[in-house]
Amino acid sequence: MLSMNIQPATPKNIELAAVLIRDGKLVALPTETVYGLAADATNDKAVAEIYALKGRPQFNPLIIHVADIAMAKHEVEWNEKAEALARKFWPGALTLVLPRAQTSRVSLLASAGGDTLAVRCPAHEAAQAVIRAAGVPLAAPSANRSGRVSPTTVQHVHGEFGDGLALILDGGACGIGVESTVIDLTGKEPLLLRPGGITKEAIEEALHDILSLQAEGKGGGILKSPGMLESHYAPSTPVRLNVTAPRADEALLAFGPHVPSGAKCVINLSVAGDDREAAARLFAAMRELDSPEFSAIAVMPIPEAGLGAAINDRLRRAAAGR
Ligand code: TXA
Ligand code: MG
């Protein structure tokens, strides 16, 4: 399907994206993790429009995208750990939660009224170019309606919003395929709020420190990262985890070379059992198998190592989600 608002990420269209953003419009753009729905983070009306279009609960704050460390320092109070992590992993799939800086002009709505901001410097060339051309930090949640699987291609984005967006910049399929890792650096100890594209192991090595996991905001505790609500990544078809014997009316989401038979349909995330390949294919596969044709999406066990942690996190949410 050819669509008017899907355009390749050429220099001309990157400039157009920046003009639209400065004018308060929303633009979908590629990042190395998933496609983002981007707006000028300093524009209250534009940020409000993100929440409205996504149908996102307003207590769930947005990630602020910057072009480099200097731009981040204008928005948040920097510290030693932030410096170490940004030097190692930026640009890249790592989001840092820090105290909002006095100098920040980011809309309070983007941080859901809180006194912290989540900042990330994306590695995708097109995202970098749009931020620099717009000259403002961009609020950019994943470009999907709230509660649905994140998009990793322009077709997914168009499937979510149709022609309701002024522009969907096409930068190809996202290389990583799961969202950024979110680390809270506001407390004494760094906290892992969301497993994602940069592994916990790599972050611990860079920090010379063990990452504590956030206690999930259940049972009356504070919800440190509201986006981690369990139902966040829900397809319409039920999801069944750790399946070794799929049923005849199920679709099988497989992993590795040894695939049990019996399912109606199989997508293998990685025949070689590679966590990176599996992450890059996860959301597209979930979209493809999300069909009334199947009684459930049966998922084979996937090892926790490396990006397996982020993959299993999204799958558990999908299974918990309806
Ligand atoms: O890979 C990504 O991070 C993608 C691409 C587009 O960059 N973006 C993304 O944004 O996933 P979003 O808005 O869908 O996810 C934001 C996550 C949520 O879990 C949210 O609760 C958390 O970051 N978050 C944002 N601001 C926060 C803050 N101030 N404190 C704690 N958590 C925050
Ligand atoms: Mg999202």
Side-chain angles (χ1 to χ4, degrees), residues 54 56 141-142 144 150 179 194 232-233:
K54 278 185 65 96
R56 180 163 174 141
S142 50
N144 53 277
S150 294
E179 298 86 345
R194 175 174 78 179
H232 202 61
Y233 295 87

Side-chain angles (χ1 to χ4, degrees), residues 77-285:
E77 280 173 27
W78 208 239
N79 63 34
E80 233 171 59
K81 287 195 166 95
E83 181 72 17
L85 290 177
R87 282 193 174 275
K88 178 98 198 233
F89 298 111
W90 279 10
L94 180 67
T95 295
L96 304 175
V97 175
L98 290 158
R100 175 193 278 267
Q102 293 272 325
T103 48
S104 176
R105 288 172 49 234
V106 167
S107 162
L108 279 169
L109 191 56
S111 53
D115 50 11
T116 61
L117 284 181
V119 289
R120 148 160 146 79
C121 174
H124 198 291
E125 265 180 46
Q128 276 278 331
V130 172
I131 300 169
R132 287 184 195 281
V136 289
L138 303 185
S142 50
N144 53 277
R145 291 185 190 274
S146 188
R148 294 186 29 104
V149 175
S150 294
T152 54
T153 67
V154 283
Q155 285 76 27
H156 296 162
V157 177
H158 192 264
E160 293 289 322
F161 301 112
D163 294 323
L165 289 171
L167 177 62
I168 301 174
L169 265 191
D170 191 351
C174 300
I176 293 179
V178 291
E179 298 86 345
S180 61
T181 304
V182 182
I183 305 283
D184 181 351
L185 294 177
T186 60
K188 268 210 189 91
E189 290 175 83
L191 268 181
L192 176 63
L193 298 184
R194 175 174 78 179
I198 305 281
T199 66
K200 180 172 186 265
E201 296 91 320
I203 293 167
E204 286 177 337
E205 197 183 304
L207 282 178
H208 310 290
D209 205 348
I210 300 298
L211 273 180
S212 325
L213 279 170
Q214 83 158 346
E216 286 263 9
K218 286 184 265 177
I222 300 167
L223 198 56
K224 292 237 47 165
S225 193
M228 299 312 287
L229 293 173
E230 278 213 322
S231 66
H232 202 61
Y233 295 87
S236 308
T237 309
V239 174
R240 205 159 71 85
L241 300 179
N242 291 314
V243 172
T244 48
R247 299 169 189 148
D249 55 359
E250 285 180 330
L252 181 67
L253 191 59
F255 179 84
H258 308 294
V259 179
S261 58
K264 193 169 182 183
C265 166
V266 179
I267 293 184
N268 199 327
L269 290 175
S270 172
V271 175
D274 180 79
D275 60 320
R276 287 169 181 259
E277 183 182 26
R281 298 171 71 163
L282 177 68
F283 290 149

